[in-house]
Amino acid sequence: MHETTEDLAALQVLLDKSMARAGAHLSSILTSERRLPAREICDRLTGMRLLALATATADGRPLVGVVDGVFYRGAFYFGSSPDAVRMHHIRRRPAVSATHAPSEALAVTVHGEAYLVDVAAPAHAGFRQALLDIYVPRYGERWEAFLDAGPVYARIAATKMFAFAGDRQP
């Protein structure tokens, strides 16, 4: 877990504000017993987590694709090819939604805007190291050269976030 005390506090505020604006149907599902607090979200979202990421075309149609997601400092990050359609969309229309739902036991959804992140910049050294910690054991030392040569990453600045623990009984 990479989150600071401040990251956890900000994430909890986001979760609470999101639930305060939730509709009746979502509130009936995301009961207080089934909501995850910030710390537990961070504990459950370690390593790489697949995200279903939705972007929008120029004419407003949604497109969903799966990306490698990394939850770092209270936010989802994801990578893709610089010439991927999703990155083309984000550069022009940064509004996105993403969900990590590996089973009925867990679902985390964010809505917000995606912003490109330069993993070579000193300001993002911690995130770069988190990527190396995840992928080098999986793919070997050559993955660092791949990171330097290929993918681009984006951070989702969430305006809403919902976390459901289906493994908890109401």
Side-chain angles (χ1 to χ4, degrees):
M1 190 171 98
H2 299 281
E3 286 70 23
T4 65
T5 302
E6 293 80 16
D7 295 334
L8 290 170
L11 180 56
Q12 191 60 56
V13 167
L14 174 64
L15 292 163
D16 294 343
K17 284 183 177 180
S18 298
M19 278 309 302
R21 296 180 294 179
H25 177 69
L26 181 58
S27 295
S28 73
I29 296 167
L30 254 173
T31 60
S32 59
E33 299 86 5
R34 289 186 166 165
R35 283 184 225 143
L36 290 174
R39 177 168 295 283
E40 192 170 344
I41 291 169
C42 298
D43 289 344
R44 288 193 185 208
L45 296 179
T46 60
M48 187 279 290
R49 300 292 179 195
L50 291 178
L51 293 177
L53 176 74
T55 60
T57 63
D59 60 355
R61 290 177 295 116
L63 288 181
V64 175
V66 176
V67 295
D68 283 9
V70 175
F71 199 72
Y72 177 78
R73 303 278 318 263
F76 273 117
Y77 290 72
F78 62 91
S80 193
S81 171
D83 60 349
V85 170
R86 71 179 47 91
M87 290 305 189
H88 174 80
H89 290 171
I90 288 167
R91 286 184 189 99
R92 286 160 182 74
R93 293 166 302 283
V96 298
S97 291
T99 297
H100 170 64
S103 70
E104 292 180 1
L106 176 65
V108 180
T109 297
V110 294
H111 308 288
E113 294 190 348
Y115 297 97
L116 296 180
V117 171
D118 179 1
V119 295
H124 300 292
F127 176 62
R128 176 188 173 80
Q129 187 59 53
L131 291 172
L132 295 173
D133 292 346
I134 292 166
Y135 289 107
V136 168
R138 184 177 288 182
Y139 298 114
E141 295 294 327
R142 68 185 185 278
W143 195 85
E144 185 170 7
F146 168 77
L147 175 63
D148 293 337
V152 292
Y153 281 83
R155 176 185 183 275
I156 300 175
T159 54
K160 290 184 183 178
M161 183 177 200
F162 303 97
F164 171 77
D167 52 1
R168 295 184 178 169
Q169 295 304 314

